[in-house]
Structures are given as C-alpha cells and as structure tokens.
Amino acid sequence: MKAQYIRGASLDVLLDPDAAAWRSVKSATLPLSGTPSALQPTAAVRTEFPEGSIGAIKQVSVAIAHNGGELAFRLEWSDASAESGAGGQDDVGFPDAAAILLPVRPGAPLMTMGAPGQPVNAWYWRADENGTGRQVTAQGLGTTETIDRESVKCRGIHRQSEWAVVIARHLRVKGNQQVAQIDVGTGTAFSIAIWEGGHRERAGIKSFALGALEGWHPLTLNRSS
Amino acid sequence: MTARKHQLAMVMDLNKCLGCHTCTVACKTLWSNGEGMDYMWFNTVNTMPGRGTPRDWEAMGGGFDARGNARPGRLPRRQEYGEAWKFNHDELYHGGNGDSRHLEIKGGTPEWGPNWDEDEGAGKFPNSYHFYLPRICNHCTHAACQAACPRQAIEKRESDGIVTVNEDRCRGYRFCQSACPYKKIYFNHQKKVAQKCIFCFPRIDEGVAPACARQCPGRLRFVGYRDDQNAPIYKLVDKWKVALPLHPEYGTEPNVFYVPPIGPASYGADGDIDESRPRVPDEYLVSLFGPKVLDALATVKAERERKRITGKSELMDLLIAYEWKSMFGGLDRDPSTVSVIQWTKKR
Ligand code: SF4
Ligand code: SF4
C-alpha cells in the first residue's frame, strides 16, 4: 500500500478520523485471519481458544497518510459493540484494541512477533486508553514490552456499529534500536492486528492482516501527492 | 518434589478454627489495602458446606485433569466475589446526627459478599453442622496460574516455592485467573495486573511467619518447609498423614494442607447420641479432601483416644500446639524486631 502525502496536515488533523483530509486518501479493505491456536504459548490458552475460534473481526478498511514527519493509519471495521473493558468499571471484559505492526529491520518474522535480534514494533491502541497509545516492541511470542506511552498517538470513535481509529507516530523517534525508524522514499512493511474485546480477545488471541511479503504488506512513502 | 530446593507449606487444623477472621484482617491490613484492591481477600474464611468465595468457585473450572491436561476454566465476576461495601461512617460519626441515624450500606442493597452464607452450614436440627474453611493461595507445586500465563509473568521462587506475580511482566491477560481452580489470584482493575497471596515472603525473608498464621488466635496454622523432618509440617503431612490438600483432583499439588474436622456425633431418633454416625458426613469430607480423608479422620480419632487414656500422643501434642512458636518451623522471629517489611516490586 501507499501512504498518501498530505502536505501541511497537522498531527491533530490526521488524528481526527472524520477529518476532511482523509477523504482524499485511498483506502483498501484487507482481509484478517485469526492467529493459529497451535501457536499460542500455553495449554490453558489453547484450551480456551481452540483452532477456528480465534479472530472475530474478519476485515479492516485501511487508509495511510503522512505529512513528511508523521505517519498515520486510519482503520475502520464493523463491531456492533464498543468494548472498553478495564478502566475501573471492568468485570470480566476485555477492551477492543488494534495495533500497527512494523518490522524494525527488514526480515523480522511476522508470525512469531519477531525473533531474538529481529525485533518488531507495535503501535498499540486500546479502547480503555483511547488517546494514549503504547509503543511496544517484541522479539518473539510472549516477549512484548511497552517502551513508552508518549510517542504513539491515537484516537478512536465508535458509532453505528463501527470503529474508526487513527494510530500515528513520528516517522523517526530518537535513539531507540528496538523500534521502527521510517524514511520517506525507502518505505517499509506493515501488518494490522485487531482484538475483539467482546470475544475475550487479548494477547496472541487476535485477527491480523496477512500480506504477500512473507506475511507483511509492503508500504511505500514518498513526497509526491 | 521437583529440583526446587525447598517448598514452604502451611497446615491448617480445621478442628480449631473459630471463624474469627483475624487472619483475613491481618492479611488485608498488611497487603491488600492499596489502589484497586478493595475487593481482594488473599485470605478468606468460609462456612462449609457453603458456596465459598468467590461464590461457587468450585464450579468455575481450571487446574488439570487426571492426565495433566489444562481443564477449561472461567473468570469470576465481581459480583461473585462481592464488592467492598461502603458504609455511612461520615454521616454517623461526624454529621452531628446523634441517634437519628444508624449504620447503613451506601448505594444499592448488596446481594452477595465474601461471607454471605456465614454460619448457615447444612443438616437438619438437631443434626445441623458446619465448620470453617480458611483459604489462601496454595503455592502449588504444579501451579495452574503459572502454567497458563503466556508471558511467564508468574514465578515460583527457587528457594521456597512461593508463587508470585511479576507485575512488570504482567499485562493483564487474566489467563491465570481462569486457570487457578481455587480462584485465589485476583485482577487489579485499576493497575491492570494480577495480584495474589505472597505467603508474606518479605516476612519469610526475615524469618517471620506469615501474618495470617502468626495472628491466628486459634493456633491452627502451622508453617514450615515440607522437607524439614523435625518440624510440624512434615510430621502432620508425611509422617502422620493427617493433613491433606483441598481438592487434590484439581491436579495442582497444593502446598496448603488441612487436618479434617471431626465434628460431634449425631443424635439418634431417640434423642441419644449415636457415636456411629458422624455429624459431618464422611462423603462430604471425601468430596473436599479425597478418599484419604477417612484414614486421616481415623488417625486423629485414635490419637485423641490415646491422649485421653494415656496422656501421651505425639500427634495430639503437635495439634494442641502447647508451644505457640513451635508451629512456625523456625520462622518464629518477632516481626517488631524487623525494621521494614514491605511490598516490593515482585509481589
Ligand atoms: S492456588 Fe491458584 S494462584 Fe495459588 S499457586 Fe495454585 S494455581 Fe496459582
Ligand atoms: S485467625 Fe485462625 S481461628 Fe480465626 S478465622 Fe483465621 S484461621 Fe480461623
């Protein structure tokens, strides 16, 4: 996919899922697959989520834009109920959530969430922390680590049985080897994960966008409109 | 036993529990009075037969089947624990209202709480019966909570087998909670991490027994290492075989053991005491502690009799606990001589 260059669009504008700027950006509908049960790290998780039961959200509409400094993903998917899970009122629910996954360096494996020495970087949004995103890194299943809660910005709106969520970050962040540094002109690759809180989806229990490039979707960025 | 050096354990003699909740309050005051912990009781004492805490926890699944496979389990709901009730203390003590007000629960009328069915028990008068069952985390040898966690955020200490949550690793996925068949691991909805009984490890590290044990006025909680052959735990569990885990069929190999309650005999139809019929039905105790409970009961009864007749019984002397400090397997340092005991990062 291509990240559309929008000259002069502020981060605030990009973060608004309803902003007029997004209307000029072409979106694509990506099919989502559930993660395999067999890949879940413990027997208790595999027992609770047998093969075929994972991945409640089947597709997501994606639009990608950048302003030369920041990269934003606008996701839209249907979900009849907004699950905000925790936040003090929670009982046994889990929040709806979404993440953009990026390889830190080319070749990082997607299916295993990276590998030792080959980290992947997630920009993570969850409904109960709407606004604050988490910058996450992983080098294999079960190794995710939140690095900071500042650099990833997001905003989600739920209406008419649909989530519209924008997740954004600066193309480059200072001095961190564990996260993706993106350059205009070079491009990268991405995947998307969505957790349906109403189906108790959390951790490795999620749907994700499987692309043609060893699982990744190629992403190009340039400065032409 | 595994390659682990030692395993700490607790034995509780159910013949002596008064249901006073001193243990529960000792624990609550020490460990679970922080943010998001209102509803958590790492130590509970429930009347048996009863629905327990959380309500009907024995039907929530988890643990392992006979072949060691993870049994499906589910998360307890907040109403099943019972919310922490808020009272009108302000109005009562500081409102200048005199006698015109009485103690009331604020908000809606509660429908359940951690001791809702206290002292109800079972059976028909004059053969009604009940006993108290104090419960903490069992610090299981085959801990289902630990096995379920996809992030290895639950650790079993190498030196003593205490099971703790590493809150820095925990991301609030709650698989541990579904997996623990005893429902003794809690979720902090504010901090979004799992929290549980820590067997007072910061006290243990200073040679002090857990607060629930040390403060128990009933003197029924023994503490110590499983393999310390000179201490009460080994004698009660392995030598005399009178202390048994609760629901051994859950497959987690608990390290909390119970001396089963003997209870009085039944009254016959003629109003006379019928020594052949125990008030607490054997089947009920078997359903809690497995078939070995019958031998344990027989041993305790026989030793009671021996003590009555001869005045001598190692087992009864142990259970009576003449020397309070002898109950703690050497962990008998006075906590007031320790400078700080605190909740550290790994809890
Ligand atoms: S009782 Fe539950 S929480 Fe405690 S160690 Fe066993 S499985 Fe884990
Ligand atoms: S403090 Fe001792 S006697 Fe009192 S309820 Fe707890 S275990 Fe029973």
Side-chain angles (χ1 to χ4, degrees):
Chain A
M1 278 185 77
K2 185 181 161 205
Q4 170 100 36
Y5 177 50
I6 311 181
R7 184 195 305 268
S10 68
L11 176 63
D12 249 15
V13 164
L14 291 176
L15 276 175
D16 177 3
D18 292 337
W22 283 110
R23 276 181 229 141
S24 64
V25 183
K26 242 220 250 139
S27 66
T29 298
L30 304 182
L32 301 175
S33 340
T35 50
S37 174
L39 223 58
Q40 304 305 323
T42 71
V45 179
R46 294 190 293 270
T47 305
E48 184 174 342
F49 291 94
E51 223 60 74
S53 71
I54 304 174
I57 306 298
K58 306 293 184 202
Q59 58 180 44
V60 60
S61 161
V62 189
I64 312 172
H66 75 97
N67 57 13
E70 283 132 344
L71 175 64
F73 293 76
R74 184 186 185 282
L75 314 178
E76 201 175 287
W77 70 94
S78 33
D79 178 357
S81 60
E83 247 76 48
S84 65
Q89 304 307 312
D90 180 31
D91 190 352
V92 294
F94 292 91
D96 291 335
I100 309 301
L101 200 69
L102 304 153
V104 174
R105 285 177 290 279
L110 169 71
M111 287 305 285
T112 56
M113 290 291 288
Q118 293 178 294
V120 293
N121 176 205
W123 302 355
Y124 177 67
W125 164 89
R126 47 189 272 173
D128 62 327
E129 296 173 0
N130 206 350
T132 323
R134 298 192 195 182
Q135 165 116 287
V136 173
T137 183
Q139 303 193 36
L141 294 174
T143 67
T144 50
E145 206 183 305
T146 301
I147 296 184
D148 70 71
R149 293 172 191 242
E150 286 90 42
S151 41
V152 174
K153 310 283 181 201
C154 33
R155 195 169 305 154
I157 300 173
H158 189 269
R159 69 187 152 216
Q160 287 158 12
S161 301
E162 217 161 53
W163 272 115
V165 177
V166 176
I167 304 177
R169 203 203 71 182
H170 275 284
L171 291 166
R172 300 190 70 86
V173 291
K174 271 201 207 97
N176 198 316
Q177 303 301 304
Q178 306 291 321
V179 303
Q181 307 286 0
I182 304 161
D183 290 311
V184 175
T186 316
T188 178
F190 74 98
S191 181
I192 290 167
I194 296 184
W195 291 262
E196 165 56 0
H199 278 227
R200 306 187 316 281
E201 292 189 351
R202 74 275 199 194
I205 307 298
K206 63 192 175 193
S207 335
F208 71 107
L210 198 58
L213 191 74
E214 287 176 8
W216 299 97
H217 285 278
L219 175 65
T220 57
L221 292 85
N222 52 42
R223 258 185 219 280
S224 58
S225 320
Chain B
M1 292 271 289
T2 62
R4 187 162 295 108
K5 282 203 205 100
H6 301 287
Q7 172 67 55
L8 273 169
M10 191 178 284
V11 169
M12 306 193 204
D13 180 357
L14 299 183
N15 293 287
K16 297 172 83 180
C17 181
L18 322 162
C20 67
H21 299 277
T22 306
C23 46
T24 306
V25 174
C27 175
K28 186 81 185 153
T29 320
L30 199 50
W31 301 127
S32 65
N33 56 2
E35 184 198 11
M37 299 176 102
D38 287 12
Y39 85 103
M40 296 182 196
W41 301 93
F42 296 162
N43 185 100
T44 46
V45 184
N46 283 111
T47 299
M48 302 295 279
R51 300 175 73 179
T53 306
R55 185 177 62 212
D56 301 327
W57 61 272
E58 288 154 299
M60 290 180 187
F64 306 96
D65 66 18
R67 286 167 39 229
N69 299 318
R71 264 200 328 156
R74 73 160 173 95
L75 294 177
R77 307 191 79 92
R78 288 285 285 266
Q79 307 97 291
E80 289 167 327
Y81 290 104
E83 292 288 346
W85 305 340
K86 302 254 187 303
F87 294 90
N88 61 338
H89 289 136
D90 274 357
E91 184 187 42
L92 214 57
Y93 300 131
H94 310 296
N97 294 311
D99 289 346
S100 67
R101 291 280 186 282
H102 60 275
L103 187 67
E104 278 173 357
I105 293 169
K106 287 208 247 180
T109 312
E111 283 167 8
W112 186 255
N115 283 89
W116 194 261
D117 55 1
E118 184 151 48
D119 288 354
E120 282 182 18
K124 271 222 179 72
F125 178 82
N127 287 319
S128 40
Y129 64 93
H130 76 263
F131 60 89
Y132 300 109
L133 180 69
R135 296 201 302 123
I136 61 173
C137 160
N138 294 300
H139 297 276
C140 306
T141 296
H142 189 196
C145 57
Q146 184 189 28
C149 177
R151 292 182 55 79
Q152 290 155 5
I154 299 182
E155 296 162 5
K156 195 163 164 65
R157 300 213 310 180
E158 206 44 52
S159 53
D160 54 23
I162 294 178
V163 175
T164 59
V165 177
N166 181 336
E167 292 183 16
D168 290 336
R169 285 207 58 72
C170 177
R171 285 174 72 93
Y173 294 151
R174 302 178 73 180
F175 289 109
C176 55
Q177 252 194 317
S178 303
C180 170
Y182 300 94
K183 296 300 172 259
K184 272 295 172 190
I185 187 158
Y186 297 78
F187 187 63
N188 186 316
H189 296 269
Q190 258 80 50
K191 298 176 85 182
K192 301 178 190 174
V193 291
Q195 292 178 322
K196 63 181 287 300
C197 159
I198 57 173
F199 210 83
C200 286
F201 78 76
R203 290 167 65 105
I204 296 288
D205 290 347
E206 299 292 339
V208 181
C212 59
R214 209 182 145 101
Q215 298 211 10
C216 171
R219 292 194 188 185
L220 60 102
R221 293 182 180 232
F222 299 86
V223 177
Y225 292 96
R226 275 295 305 271
D227 58 351
D228 182 353
Q229 301 202 3
N230 300 313
I233 300 283
Y234 179 86
K235 289 184 181 162
L236 294 170
V237 176
D238 295 292
K239 182 177 175 193
W240 286 96
K241 298 187 178 13
V242 292
L244 302 164
L246 177 63
H247 290 303
E249 75 279 14
Y250 291 169
T252 65
E253 295 177 48
N255 288 300
V256 172
F257 302 85
Y258 296 93
V259 180
I262 290 181
S266 293
Y267 288 101
D270 53 3
D272 283 345
I273 291 169
D274 177 357
E275 291 288 354
S276 71
R277 281 197 308 133
R279 197 86 75 81
V280 184
D282 284 348
E283 318 79 79
Y284 180 61
L285 294 176
V286 169
S287 77
L288 294 178
F289 303 107
K292 288 184 187 159
V293 77
L294 300 176
D295 287 341
L297 288 167
T299 304
V300 176
K301 277 187 196 157
E303 288 301 307
R304 270 190 187 177
E305 208 44 36
R306 183 199 307 278
K307 177 79 178 173
R308 204 182 342 260
I309 294 163
T310 68
K312 286 196 187 77
S313 159
E314 184 199 29
L315 178 61
M316 291 324 291
D317 289 353
L318 267 174
L319 291 175
I320 290 165
Y322 290 108
E323 284 296 327
W324 175 58
K325 285 190 168 180
S326 73
M327 300 180 72
F328 306 134
L331 295 161
D332 55 9
R333 182 164 170 203
D334 178 347
S336 70
T337 66
V338 180
S339 54
V340 224
I341 287 176
Q342 63 183 351
W343 189 248
T344 57
K345 255 200 162 171
K346 276 202 229 159
R347 305 155 216 213

